[in-house]
Amino acid sequence: MDAVVRELSYAQAIQEAMATAMEMDERVFLMGEDIGVYGGAFQVTGDLVERFGTERVIDTPISELGGAGVAVGAAVTGMRPIFEFQFSDFATLAMEQIVNQAAKMRFMLGGEVSVPVVMRFPAGSGTGAAAQHSQSLEAWLGHVPGLKVIQPATPHDAKGMLLAAIADPDPVMIFEHKLLYKMKGPVPEGYYTVPIGKAEIRREGRDLTIVATSIMVHKALEAAAALEAEGIDVEVIDLRTIRPMDKQTIIESVKKTSRLLCVYEAVKTLGIGAEVSAMIAESDAFDYLDAPIVRLGGAETPIPYNPELEKATVPQVPGIIAAARDLVKGVR
Amino acid sequence: MDLASKAGADSRANLPFVYRQYSAEQLKQVLHKMYLIRRFEEGAEECYTRGLIHGTMHLSIGQEASAMGICMPLAEDDQITSTHRGHGHCIAKGAEVKRMFAEFFGKTTGYCKGRGGSMHIADVAKGNLGANGIVAGGIPIAVGAGLSSKMMKTGKVVVSFFGDGANNEGAFHEALNMAAIWKLPVIFVCENNGYGMSTSTARSTAVKNIAERAAAYSMPGVIVNGNIFSEVAEASHQAVARARAGEGPTLIESKTYRHRGHSKSDRNRYRTKEEIEDWMSNRDPITLFEGEMREFGLIDDKGIQAIRDAVAQEIADGIEFAKTSPSPDIENIQDFVYTEQA
Ligand SMILES: Cc1ncc(C[n+]2csc(CCOP(=O)(O)OP(=O)(O)O)c2C)c(N)n1
Ligand SMILES: [Mg+2]
């Protein structure tokens, strides 16, 4: 029998994934700042504390380094913690435990342990919260072997990928764009997983491949719809996982369209776009390219407070349309 | 002593600290600034509610005596580091509300030229080294400023404001230790308003009083009623004297309360209406200070009304200034990322 599918918001989908896992597995528990009675800064944990109690929905002190480390320690010793950072920016305070410990513990101990921890990071700009509450740091963690880093773009994937993350024996970092939390979409009831490491083609097209992450998937789809009216047929790939990256899906697509545009919110240089472009340049898809690869990423600046500046700092639909049009028309 | 007259001093000999230490004129200035903080934040809140500004904000309404008391004995070139709940510290250290409003509105005339917003407003020229979006982020920076003061022999004292929640960050502990071992002229001011967002100190913190943590770093730990201006100012005065004498840091715990929610998204589910009501009606720092000033004959109804009117005008002018100021140009998006070099 097929599962019942309802419309849920992205935040509700994440909450449902956590509740589903907690019901199925006693070892799964939540830690984070103000995730209990407050319901989380973005109301993602909501009323889970009422359902599962304060023993399994644990408010931590404001101690990101210690808290993340406690989650790692619990994971190594048999529990299945899900640690919520209040904002992804605060990963910077916990880098030691994430990068030096969680990512490497299994390796350093010769495979004697696993670290099945999940860390959740509300990320991105667009909320007027300025430079220290708006960053997109996923590529930082994507650079670390031992971690898996995912960025679901839809409510369906948010639930399925989080459930996959919880089931995964290794540390999985999940970046959730704050502007997606209220977005609604179809989500099946019950348990299902969406595989980590697999990109999804959101729209098929012949003229150009856009590889996008997170909220940029939706902006790319909007751009693609507008470009259709101009007779430009865009393929949109939702990368979904940045480590390990699904190279094959991108390579196949580029071989078909011969043009590649990468769109992501994080600072443009030294990021996901660089990785995807270089990967294509190193692959046999390179020979199929009819135009230079183009990256659209965040400006080389911290996120400003002023709303107009803030918008101008990250790719927007008109910019994606223009870049795609230029690419297809051979302006570049 | 700054007192207007010897006779005034004698008649005040038995009064609390600030009434012995400062002139009536200075104390009226304090009341003026407390109102300025309160009305600034009410104004900001209203602008937000009316959709004139975006983002979020953390209001310090109810904590005005703490900011004013700590800053009272500081000289203009003494320095502070502030927090996400920093509007009061900013005004207490000498900022103008019109440029603060301009920052709220994201304008080029704002203290951060529209780049920082509520969480970063600071008048650097007045010794404010920054409000901070990172809990405990300013504490080590204050210690660094204290190190500069010592190495450069400037005589400056540095105050680090932070909340009760911040004392559970590693940065707090590392910073206090360094300030102590190097005897730096730093004053750590924990504004304990009972909660870090929704988490009470009872649930987050292993000690009953945060001041107890001073013992671990061999510095004095002082607890004051943060809603009584005189108590706060007296503790600050002593800590400043100790710092200037080269004797090292002090930790002051200023017990206070925020009347508003943590930020704009707070539903106050972690505390009772009665608790909030009690603090608002019985322990409001402005009401308490005003009452003392009246009782000690330093101000009358007319004087209070004059202050309120002047503040209301300043706030209205400030909002108007902010509204009519220019927005930054998008082409200048790269400004201030690095230092401009010739
Ligand atoms: C490192 C870090 N963790 C979490 C947050 C989110 N946050 C902002 S303010 C706050 C509560 C701070 O509590 P406290 O230090 O007591 O200051 P108060 O808000 O009560 O003035 C939290 C959790 C943050 N900004 N920085
Ligand atoms: Mg607090």
Side-chain angles (χ1 to χ4, degrees):
Chain A
M1 200 183 76
D2 281 349
V4 179
V5 176
R6 309 110 328 135
E7 290 274 310
L8 289 189
S9 73
Y10 189 101
Q12 287 168 330
I14 296 217
Q15 184 185 118
E16 191 167 275
M18 293 191 289
T20 303
M22 288 171 87
E23 266 158 14
M24 288 169 54
D25 186 344
E26 294 257 286
R27 299 171 304 169
V28 177
F29 72 100
L30 315 181
M31 285 175 70
E33 291 162 14
D34 307 288
I35 63 169
V37 63
Y38 198 95
F42 300 98
Q43 295 303 310
V44 176
T45 46
D47 61 5
L48 288 182
V49 71
E50 280 155 39
R51 279 172 69 187
F52 296 100
T54 51
E55 302 247 307
R56 293 180 76 195
V57 180
I58 303 175
D59 274 336
T60 68
I62 308 175
S63 307
E64 289 79 10
L65 173 62
V70 169
V72 171
V76 169
T77 49
M79 298 298 287
R80 291 273 174 168
I82 303 173
F83 187 82
E84 174 178 300
F85 282 84
Q86 200 161 85
F87 285 77
S88 68
D89 310 70
F90 311 153
T92 55
L93 284 87
M95 276 297 168
E96 196 287 301
Q97 286 294 326
I98 299 172
V99 175
N100 294 323
Q101 311 299 340
K104 300 174 174 54
M105 211 162 162
R106 175 174 174 78
F107 178 83
M108 293 186 300
L109 294 175
E112 293 296 322
V113 299
S114 293
V115 189
V117 68
V118 174
M119 297 193 187
R120 298 185 33 245
F121 300 92
S125 68
T127 63
Q132 296 172 331
H133 285 75
S134 306
Q135 298 170 86
S136 298
L137 300 177
E138 55 275 1
W140 283 33
L141 297 186
H143 195 65
V144 182
L147 302 181
K148 297 179 181 178
V149 183
I150 62 179
Q151 283 185 285
T154 65
H156 174 275
D157 283 3
K159 179 176 173 185
M161 294 187 85
L162 179 51
L163 282 167
I166 296 166
D168 199 285
D170 292 317
V172 181
M173 311 286 120
I174 170 165
F175 283 80
E176 306 160 3
H177 201 293
K178 284 165 276 180
L179 295 186
L180 291 178
Y181 279 138
K182 294 213 163 93
M183 170 177 284
K184 293 203 158 186
V187 178
E189 275 182 356
Y191 188 86
Y192 69 95
T193 58
V194 171
I196 293 169
K198 191 85 197 69
E200 174 84 353
I201 297 173
R202 295 279 173 208
R203 185 186 202 280
E204 292 196 21
R206 281 171 290 109
D207 299 331
L208 164 74
T209 299
I210 297 183
V211 173
T213 56
S214 188
I215 194 165
M216 291 300 158
V217 172
H218 302 281
K219 294 190 179 178
L221 286 169
E222 219 181 303
L227 287 161
E228 189 178 277
E230 300 178 20
I232 297 175
D233 190 17
V234 178
E235 178 143 309
V236 177
I237 297 179
D238 174 357
L239 194 54
R240 298 204 293 197
T241 301
I242 66 170
R243 172 181 281 272
M245 194 176 282
D246 178 359
K247 300 176 184 174
Q248 214 45 48
T249 299
I250 305 171
I251 289 171
E252 295 306 324
S253 175
V254 171
K255 282 184 179 171
K256 178 173 72 173
T257 64
S258 304
R259 294 181 186 87
L260 175 61
L261 172 64
C262 303
V263 188
Y264 49 106
E265 174 162 330
V267 170
K268 178 177 163 185
T269 53
L270 293 160
I272 291 165
E275 183 53 41
V276 171
S277 315
M279 186 274 291
I280 288 299
E282 287 173 340
S283 79
D284 59 348
F286 180 71
D287 294 330
Y288 293 75
L289 286 175
D290 284 344
I293 299 169
V294 174
R295 291 174 294 162
L296 284 184
E300 307 295 316
T301 155
I303 303 289
Y305 165 71
N306 174 283
E308 298 311 315
L309 288 192
E310 184 184 21
K311 266 186 223 122
T313 304
V314 301
Q316 303 293 347
V317 175
I320 301 172
I321 293 175
R325 189 190 289 132
D326 286 355
L327 251 177
V328 173
K329 300 243 163 96
V331 178
R332 307 187 69 127
Chain B
M1 228 192 252
D2 309 286
L3 285 179
S5 72
K6 184 80 173 59
D10 288 345
S11 66
R12 294 188 212 162
N14 294 323
L15 299 186
F17 173 78
V18 292
Y19 305 99
R20 290 178 270 124
Q21 184 72 14
Y22 300 106
S23 69
E25 210 34 60
Q26 285 176 304
L27 294 172
K28 280 186 199 163
Q29 277 297 325
V30 171
L31 186 61
H32 179 103
K33 278 205 182 182
M34 280 196 199
Y35 267 114
L36 204 55
I37 297 171
R38 173 83 42 111
R39 300 283 185 260
F40 172 81
E41 294 201 317
E42 287 169 352
E45 191 176 34
E46 198 196 320
C47 291
Y48 181 89
T49 310
R50 287 167 52 202
L52 299 176
I53 49 185
H54 81 151
T56 186
M57 66 182 71
H58 306 86
L59 303 177
S60 67
I61 292 175
Q63 304 186 181
E64 294 89 346
S66 184
M68 283 306 300
I70 293 294
C71 291
M72 194 66 195
L74 298 182
E76 179 155 324
D77 67 349
D78 287 332
Q79 292 166 322
I80 67 169
T81 63
S82 174
T83 69
H84 59 285
R85 205 174 300 288
H87 309 143
H89 310 144
C90 194
I91 292 173
K93 196 66 181 66
E96 295 179 297
V97 291
K98 65 175 194 180
R99 294 197 58 198
M100 293 176 67
F101 274 121
E103 188 55 39
F104 252 106
F105 279 74
K107 301 299 181 71
T108 54
T109 52
Y111 276 115
C112 316
K113 323 262 186 341
R115 271 58 171 194
S118 163
M119 246 187 301
H120 303 288
I121 300 180
D123 184 349
V124 177
K126 288 276 160 54
N128 186 344
L129 297 173
N132 212 310
I134 301 299
V135 168
I139 309 178
I141 293 171
V143 175
L147 184 62
S148 286
S149 170
K150 188 175 178 186
M151 295 178 85
M152 297 164 77
K153 302 190 171 52
T154 57
K156 288 181 194 178
V157 167
V158 188
V159 166
S160 178
F161 286 103
F162 52 91
D164 47 284
N167 94 101
N168 294 314
E169 289 280 15
F172 165 88
H173 295 270
E174 297 178 24
L176 263 69
N177 186 54
M178 283 185 276
I181 59 175
W182 298 327
K183 282 205 175 349
L184 298 179
V186 182
I187 304 169
F188 299 99
V189 178
C190 179
E191 297 188 304
N192 182 352
N193 55 15
Y195 300 89
M197 210 155 149
S198 69
T199 310
S200 66
T201 51
R203 294 203 299 129
S204 69
T205 305
V207 287
K208 184 152 182 290
N209 300 300
I210 285 148
E212 292 168 34
R213 292 199 157 158
Y217 305 104
S218 301
M219 67 177 79
V222 184
I223 299 174
V224 295
N225 181 332
N227 284 15
I228 299 181
F229 170 69
S230 185
E231 269 200 37
V232 184
E234 184 168 11
S236 182
H237 185 84
Q238 283 169 6
V240 168
R242 177 178 148 83
R244 288 220 208 277
E247 290 163 18
T250 302
L251 170 60
I252 298 174
E253 177 178 4
S254 173
K255 297 213 190 250
T256 182
Y257 198 79
R258 60 169 156 73
H259 293 178
R260 297 295 199 269
H262 166 73
S263 69
K264 296 320 295 171
S265 59
D266 190 343
R267 293 174 296 165
N268 278 313
R269 295 210 299 193
Y270 51 88
R271 53 182 192 173
T272 62
K273 272 208 183 68
E274 292 70 33
E275 178 183 300
I276 302 171
E277 250 319 295
D278 174 44
W279 282 88
M280 286 178 72
S281 14
N282 303 322
R283 291 184 254 182
D284 180 80
I286 299 183
T287 311
L288 292 177
F289 183 53
E290 211 172 74
E292 283 185 355
M293 294 263 291
R294 236 194 264 266
E295 189 186 331
F296 303 149
L298 297 170
I299 202 163
D300 56 14
D301 286 350
K302 240 179 81 194
I304 290 171
Q305 197 52 49
I307 287 177
R308 291 184 187 168
D309 291 345
V311 167
Q313 191 58 49
E314 226 174 305
I315 296 299
D317 292 349
I319 292 175
E320 194 51 33
F321 172 81
K323 280 185 181 162
T324 53
S325 287
S327 286
D329 282 333
I330 285 173
E331 66 205 40
N332 296 335
I333 204 161
Q334 293 290 340
D335 283 3
F336 317 124
V337 180
Y338 296 101
T339 306
E340 302 74 28
Q341 298 191 53

